[in-house]
Amino acid sequence: MGGLSVRGAVVRYGSGETATTAVAGVDLDVADGEILALLGPSGCGKSSLLRAVAGLEPLAAGTVAFDGEDLAGVPVHRRGFGLLFQDGQLFAHRDVARNVAYGLETARVPRAQRGERVRELLDAVGLARYGRRSVSTLSGGERQRVALARALAPRPRLLLLDEPFSALDRALRERLAVDVRDVLRDTGTTAVFVTHDHDEAFTVADRVGVMQAGHLLQVAPPEELWRAPASRAVAAFLGYQAFVPREVAGGTAGATNDGGTRPADATDAGGWLAVGPNGLRVLPTDLSGRGGAGARGGADTSWSARVVAGAFRRGRTELTVDVDLGAGPQRLVAQLDGVAPPAPGATVTVGLDAAGCAFVGSSPQRDSLSA
Ligand code: ADP
């Protein structure tokens, strides 16, 4: 099979009592030309997995193979992989073009071809006229663009990126994420991109792998991950704000992969309805007359909630409310359409919006990881 194949990968640091298992048995495939993001909180083992793939960290167990070849014993520089880290670590004594040319020189690519390739790459990363510039004159974002061009120049069969933009400000990161995705797609580069930032992962990747505590919990295209998180742990990490026990949520079983909603069925017993950032709505009072705590059952399940604060954002009102959706009192965000927010302390009625919710099953194995 083409591409990267990781099986049962374990990475450990230290030994005896102080040993840390950073990667606890991960299986992962990245197809030829695919961009995969590894997403997870700091310390979950993303870098360790990436470094093990690169050959920078030994595997305590498991295998890393590329295009069917087991890479055990193959040193970093013989793997044909490109690396890009948070600090691109440009060569200060080389100008931009000669930084990009570095990998081509070590691969003994003839001078004329080198020049052509360097121009091509600088153009691809939006720095066409920067060749003669000293790297000390570049902004942080420009430096990372040069580092990307340098990593791509020798046409690596796999590019490994470890939080490449985390030192940059948010607006710049968003722009670079789009640009990097385009460059990787245009060059057909197979890539693994490590990040703790959801937006970055969802922007760059064809598929996103969610990691937690050394385990890979789910790998799926961004849309599918969002619409059908495999467990509470994944949903919580993605930003689902509450979990309503299946029995309480009534007839609403959440969104389906194709963007619709589906009715509950027997296989849903015991699961939860994960309530997303847009999954809770303030119901118009005339429709929720019976409202109040305990008004449950059926698709029109509603709860009485106490307003804590209101904020007008992006053309709609977001209310922070205290409410008990059946799993204890919680402070949640409810969406209110286009009207002034009720005063703090007021009582409103909230209900679920299926399009902003997802069903998650009750898999004890999966959810034990979140403990
Ligand atoms: P992430 O990239 O998701 O932030 P890391 O792979 O860097 O996670 O770290 C995973 C775990 O391994 C953490 O508990 C971290 O403290 C530990 N770790 C990482 N590198 C080392 C190291 N060189 N020596 C000892 N422990 C390490």
Side-chain angles (χ1 to χ4, degrees):
M1 200 202 79
L4 177 72
S5 174
V6 176
R7 287 291 171 274
V10 175
V11 177
R12 278 200 196 100
Y13 298 106
S15 57
E17 301 237 314
T18 58
T20 309
T21 301
V23 179
V26 163
D27 295 341
L28 177 68
D29 289 297
V30 185
D32 195 23
E34 185 179 37
I35 305 167
L36 182 120
L38 282 176
L39 175 67
S42 177
C44 72
K46 307 180 295 293
S47 288
S48 298
L49 177 57
L50 195 82
R51 293 169 62 82
V53 168
L56 292 164
E57 218 62 73
L59 285 173
T63 56
V64 171
F66 200 90
D67 284 352
E69 179 204 1
D70 188 340
L71 298 181
V74 178
V76 181
H77 63 281
R78 290 269 163 74
R79 295 193 174 196
F81 298 169
L83 302 170
L84 181 59
F85 296 107
Q86 176 182 333
D87 169 8
Q89 296 183 330
L90 300 177
F91 303 113
H93 57 284
R94 288 171 167 249
D95 64 18
V96 166
R98 291 201 58 229
N99 263 279
V100 179
Y102 177 77
L104 303 171
E105 290 171 19
T106 54
R108 301 190 190 287
V109 173
R111 179 181 288 270
Q113 269 169 267
R114 256 176 10 221
E116 183 56 32
R117 183 79 181 139
V118 168
R119 270 191 296 281
E120 207 177 293
L121 263 308
L122 284 179
D123 199 33
V125 299
L127 296 178
R129 299 183 178 284
Y130 282 60
R132 297 270 76 86
R133 286 270 291 269
S134 157
V135 297
S136 63
T137 66
L138 303 178
S139 69
E142 288 164 350
R143 297 171 75 89
Q144 286 307 78
R145 286 175 191 268
V146 173
L148 175 66
R150 184 180 62 182
L152 286 172
R155 303 182 202 277
R157 53 183 185 164
L158 176 67
L159 183 66
L160 303 171
L161 307 101
D162 192 350
E163 304 266 8
F165 315 134
S166 58
L168 308 172
D169 66 61
R170 154 87 30 204
L172 187 55
R173 292 166 62 160
E174 283 176 9
R175 234 179 28 240
L176 271 173
V178 172
D179 289 354
V180 164
R181 179 196 59 202
D182 292 348
V183 171
L184 295 180
R185 295 244 164 96
D186 292 350
T187 52
T189 305
T190 311
V192 179
F193 187 106
V194 161
T195 179
H196 65 274
D197 184 302
H198 303 56
D199 294 336
E200 214 165 272
F202 282 25
T203 300
V204 171
D206 299 313
R207 285 190 307 152
V208 175
V210 177
M211 274 191 84
Q212 188 179 76
H215 296 271
L216 191 56
L217 302 187
Q218 184 176 9
V219 186
E223 274 242 334
E224 186 183 324
L225 195 64
W226 188 256
R227 292 197 179 283
S231 63
R232 270 185 73 150
V234 171
F237 179 69
L238 292 177
Y240 281 86
Q241 55 173 340
F243 296 90
V244 181
R246 186 63 204 85
E247 309 79 69
V248 175
T252 316
T256 56
N257 281 337
D258 57 10
T261 56
R262 64 183 180 82
D265 62 39
T267 60
D268 293 338
W272 291 275
L273 197 66
V275 182
N278 296 316
L280 198 62
R281 290 198 161 274
V282 177
L283 302 178
T285 38
D286 54 335
L287 291 183
S288 59
R290 72 192 178 85
R296 291 168 177 168
D300 60 346
T301 309
S302 61
W303 295 268
S304 177
R306 195 175 155 278
V307 176
V308 177
F312 191 67
R313 277 203 195 102
R314 298 187 195 109
R316 67 206 307 198
T317 301
E318 281 183 7
L319 279 192
T320 303
V321 297
D322 283 334
V323 61
D324 183 350
L325 300 184
Q330 275 184 289
R331 186 153 290 185
L332 303 175
V333 170
Q335 306 291 332
L336 178 65
D337 279 322
V339 286
T347 299
V348 293
T349 304
V350 296
L352 300 176
D353 181 345
C357 296
F359 175 73
V360 293
S362 57
S363 162
Q365 295 95 328
R366 283 164 170 170
D367 283 306
S368 64
L369 293 173
S370 64

